[in-house]
Amino acid sequence: VVVLDEVGLAEDSPNLPLKALHPLLEDGTEGGDDSQQIIDRQQRVAFIGISNWALDPAKMNRGVMVTRGDPDEDELELSAKGICSNHENDPVKDRLNPYFKPLAAAYKNICEEQDKRKRAFFGLRDFYSLIKMLYWMCEKSNCPPTGPQLEHAIKRNFGGLDSFKTYEMFMNDLGDLGSNPPDLSNASEERKEILHPDCTPLGLIKTSLRTKEITWHGENRYL
């Protein structure tokens, strides 16, 4: 089996590289008219192409198209729980459990607002990365997410557009959950940094450039 991830990107090439797949997708030949070029059935391979948009009809007609619509809030909530842990008794996931539903609702509101503006800037990978980062924070702090932690994680994963107030949109759905103050009494400097991370633009950039060994989950798309 040959898996072609982001195969739709090749459609932008002026050299049309995907045309090489036509005979292989159609009848397993190498593209020649000579019958000797027919590939034995046991030597043929299956192709799986993953794309964010439809390919041209010449390829679509040579395979089976499976489409995946946008997930609803319940599916987003279920995905968030699965990202955190597959174990039934996970104390970190239990701390995050009240946050899954409002975070999913806020993400759907962002998607709807993007549809109105006809500009898809944020996607599922940003939502998934947000969940991973919050899980790491809760695991390290051994407590539910604090207000500064939520702000930091949201701005790390849903920043980049000054005209798009994503943080405010998340806070509208989180309500009181978004204002959990950190307890910094008798906390070490390392713990203070975890409970109350720097949410200024410079602080977000510095944290984003650090490695995972130094700071929390370092995968995010936006500085």
Side-chain angles (χ1 to χ4, degrees):
V1 178
V2 177
V3 179
L4 304 175
D5 193 14
E6 297 286 3
V7 65
L9 297 177
E11 294 281 16
D12 294 333
S13 173
N15 298 320
L16 303 176
L18 295 182
K19 289 185 68 175
L21 296 177
H22 289 181
L24 295 172
L25 293 172
E26 191 170 73
D27 54 12
T29 70
E30 295 179 342
D33 295 330
D34 189 350
S35 60
Q36 293 182 353
Q37 292 189 6
I38 296 178
I39 302 174
D40 293 337
R41 182 173 296 276
Q42 62 269 22
Q43 294 179 337
R44 298 178 186 180
V45 296
F47 290 87
I48 298 176
I50 303 173
S51 177
N52 288 326
W53 55 82
L55 304 179
D56 68 82
K59 295 166 196 63
M60 303 284 280
N61 294 337
R62 288 175 165 86
V64 177
M65 182 179 68
V66 179
T67 60
R68 177 70 165 86
D70 295 332
D72 57 26
E73 290 185 25
D74 292 335
E75 290 173 320
L76 287 170
E77 186 177 355
L78 186 62
S79 296
K81 292 178 180 179
I83 288 171
C84 289
S85 175
N86 292 324
H87 302 294
E88 289 293 333
N89 299 319
D90 184 350
V92 181
K93 185 168 70 173
D94 292 340
R95 296 187 198 105
L96 280 173
N97 195 54
Y99 294 82
F100 292 139
K101 192 173 189 64
L103 288 174
Y107 173 74
K108 288 298 292 184
N109 291 335
I110 289 174
C111 291
E112 293 173 0
E113 185 64 26
Q114 287 187 142
D115 291 340
K116 294 177 184 177
R117 302 188 185 192
K118 301 186 183 301
R119 184 180 183 185
F121 191 74
F122 303 108
L124 279 172
R125 67 182 64 188
D126 304 308
F127 177 74
Y128 296 155
S129 181
L130 171 67
I131 298 299
K132 291 177 184 178
M133 191 175 293
L134 289 175
Y135 183 89
W136 191 98
M137 290 176 171
C138 289
E139 187 178 37
K140 287 293 183 181
S141 63
N142 200 30
C143 65
T146 65
Q149 285 178 332
L150 284 166
E151 180 182 357
H152 187 97
I154 291 169
K155 289 183 176 180
R156 282 274 300 277
N157 295 284
F158 285 89
L161 284 180
D162 292 337
S163 60
F164 216 102
K165 306 301 181 183
T166 52
Y167 173 67
E168 286 76 6
M169 297 177 73
F170 273 101
M171 287 299 105
N172 287 337
D173 285 285
L174 285 167
D176 293 338
L177 290 172
S179 57
N180 180 28
D183 182 10
L184 302 179
S185 58
N186 300 322
S188 64
E189 290 300 320
E190 181 181 359
R191 183 168 176 79
K192 287 180 180 179
E193 184 179 359
I194 293 175
L195 293 174
H196 199 298
D198 189 350
C199 298
T200 64
L202 183 58
L204 294 172
I205 293 173
K206 285 182 177 180
T207 309
S208 183
L209 294 176
R210 294 179 184 176
T211 63
K212 292 183 180 180
E213 289 74 17
I214 299 175
T215 185
W216 49 79
H217 186 349
E219 294 182 8
N220 59 288
R221 296 173 65 191
Y222 316 109
L223 293 178

